[in-house]
Amino acid sequence: MSNKGERPEHERVAGRRAAGRRPLTSVSTRQQHIASIAKKYTDSPLTTLHHHMDMLWMYEAFKRVKNTSATGVDKVTVEEYAQNLEENLAELLEKAKSGKYRAPPVKRAYIPKNEKEKRPIGIPTTENKVLERAVVMLLEPIYEAEFHDVSYGFRPRRSAHQGLERIRKVLTEMGGGWVVDVDVRKYFDTIPHAQIREILRKRVKDRVILRLLGKWLKAGVWEAGVVQRSEQGTPQGGVISPLLSNIYLHEVLDNWFIKEIKPRLKGEAHLVRFADDFVIILKRQDEAQKVMDVLPKRFEKYGLTIHPEKTRLVDVRHPWDIRHKPETFDFLGFTHYWGKTRRGGYAVMRKTAAKKLRRAVKDVFQWCKAKRHKPMRWQHQKLRLKVLGHYAYYGIRGNIRSLGEYRYELLKAWRYWLDRRSRERGRMDWVRYWKLVSTIFPIETPRIMHKAEENRQLCFDFF
């Protein structure tokens, strides 16, 4: 039996086999080495990366694949792939480095985007997920050294809530301003392959890695037995797609805004981006209008389209600076607005966006309908998880009312469908129901899960 904290025997053996004469080092140590090389040679591409991919690297990549992830076109689960793990990883590694690897098409599925539209996603095979993760582990240290602080999506130690807090802080310190609220039309489906490859070659010239990236871009999408291939788009669902999207928008937007646009502006300006969702906050209206006018031309140059109807200029100046009520804008599921504080001043506040709340309520209503014949104790356990999951994202300061509304609608939906199933055994009236949810089956009350930064007192509380 191995000692506590010691790696399993198969990992140590595989690591020694892969290391050969080279000293065995951990994945994190090698990633730090890649990052240091990337910082040292900022103006030239890295030509040798794939030698880091050995069995130890592949085991780490496999460990980072979720056991519950959906199956791709081959229908092989993570558990099934793990039954003969060492041979599977060795074969995958050999195919990847020799060029024999063939990227299978990703299975297309759809998830709700809003109340009217659905967002297509791709589900890669388990083997593809492992190899994608291994390549991401190579590329991430390189590009993390280049990415700017303005982007918060799909990056290590960064989150949507940090982006939300950044918006609140910027608007508060600026005393409000003008927000360019941008919508990129079908971003993941329209990234041109030729241009993303050209951008990648600026920093990476390892033939093995570039060949794998090219195969994934060409793999196509499997839907209803038909494979569709295109010269644009990265199928959503795999771990390589978010990284490629960040790399592309880093070149198209982040670098351009910070190095070319911002130095030309007289007023203060800030960019906050999460994947393809972003807002630009500016102090001056004339400069905000100019940025809004030039954005479509910039994105068109790179094969992307700014939605003309959903992109707008929002007046969020401080209420004391204007005669009319400031406008609001939605970002990352929250509505941002100027609200009154308890001291009578104003502060930038956030609440759950109305369309997100409606969809969450609709989803829980449909769930209660579908699961109404399950035991009540089972339903209670699942509903608690739903509520806690909702609080985990939307539980920020100032949003208690929206959280309470979600909980109330959930309780109301649950009682409605329990009542519908219980008519033969007696109606589930409100008195009986409240007694049950107050004692035996309680649902957690709203709670704040995300605290603002220590300097949260910056909120224009004038007396």
Side-chain angles (χ1 to χ4, degrees), residues 168-169 171-173 318 320 338-349 397 455-462:
R168 186 201 67 82
K169 184 178 179 181
L171 283 173
T172 299
E173 292 178 343
H318 195 283
W320 289 347
W338 282 100
K340 275 285 189 101
T341 67
R342 294 180 180 179
R343 299 180 180 180
Y346 287 94
V348 177
M349 299 182 176
R397 290 181 71 246
N455 57 356
R456 59 184 179 270
Q457 67 270 18
L458 294 169
C459 61
F460 288 93
D461 276 334
F462 297 106

Side-chain angles (χ1 to χ4, degrees), residues 257-288:
F257 178 79
I258 291 174
K259 295 181 179 180
E260 296 184 32
I261 297 299
K262 200 170 180 179
R264 301 178 184 178
L265 302 177
K266 296 179 181 179
E268 195 173 348
H270 299 271
L271 168 67
V272 178
R273 179 174 68 83
F274 188 93
D276 61 325
D277 294 326
F278 66 93
V279 293
I280 303 175
I281 307 170
L282 303 102
K283 188 64 178 178
R284 296 175 50 150
Q285 181 183 8
D286 58 336
E287 293 180 339

Side-chain angles (χ1 to χ4, degrees), residues 145-161:
E146 293 196 357
F147 288 161
H148 300 292
D149 289 338
V150 300
S151 63
Y152 293 88
F154 306 112
R155 293 180 59 188
R157 298 174 296 279
R158 284 180 167 258
S159 67
H161 292 94

Side-chain angles (χ1 to χ4, degrees), residues 6 14 115 239 289 348 384 417 420:
E6 187 178 351
E115 295 174 335
V239 294
Q289 188 62 56
V348 177
R384 283 187 66 242
W417 288 109
R420 297 272 294 187

Side-chain angles (χ1 to χ4, degrees), residues 59-77:
Y59 272 112
E60 180 63 28
F62 175 79
K63 282 164 54 178
R64 297 187 186 186
V65 176
K66 293 183 179 179
N67 292 331
T68 57
S69 58
T71 59
V73 293
D74 62 356
K75 298 182 180 179
V76 176
T77 65

Side-chain angles (χ1 to χ4, degrees), residues 139 143 147 187-188 190-204 209-210 213-218 230-235 240-252 301-304:
L139 297 181
Y143 286 100
F147 288 161
Y187 171 65
F188 288 93
T190 57
I191 298 177
H193 293 175
Q195 287 179 277
I196 183 64
R197 285 177 179 175
E198 184 180 345
I199 291 173
L200 285 166
R201 282 194 288 267
K202 292 180 180 180
R203 294 298 284 136
V204 178
I209 303 304
L210 290 177
L213 292 171
K215 288 181 178 182
W216 286 325
L217 289 173
K218 289 182 178 180
S230 174
E231 290 300 316
Q232 60 183 19
T234 60
I240 198 67
S241 183
L243 178 60
L244 292 179
S245 71
N246 268 338
I247 293 171
Y248 200 60
L249 276 184
H250 169 74
E251 179 71 22
V252 176
K301 179 181 176 181
Y302 288 85
L304 304 174

Side-chain angles (χ1 to χ4, degrees), residues 412-456:
K412 191 167 68 170
W414 194 24
R415 190 210 70 86
Y416 177 82
W417 288 109
L418 287 175
D419 180 58
R420 297 272 294 187
R421 80 166 191 174
S422 301
R423 289 183 176 178
E424 295 180 359
R425 293 176 266 173
R427 296 184 66 92
M428 180 66 73
D429 56 52
W430 278 102
V431 175
R432 179 187 174 196
Y433 178 67
W434 281 121
K435 186 178 294 185
L436 286 173
V437 297
S438 299
T439 55
I440 304 176
F441 303 117
I443 298 293
E444 281 76 2
T445 56
R447 61 181 67 174
I448 301 301
M449 308 292 286
H450 301 276
K451 305 293 184 181
E453 296 176 350
E454 291 182 1
N455 57 356
R456 59 184 179 270

Side-chain angles (χ1 to χ4, degrees), residues 62 66-68 76-84 88 126:
F62 175 79
K66 293 183 179 179
N67 292 331
T68 57
V76 176
T77 65
V78 176
E79 290 183 358
E80 291 171 344
Y81 191 82
Q83 289 176 3
N84 198 14
N88 287 336
T126 298

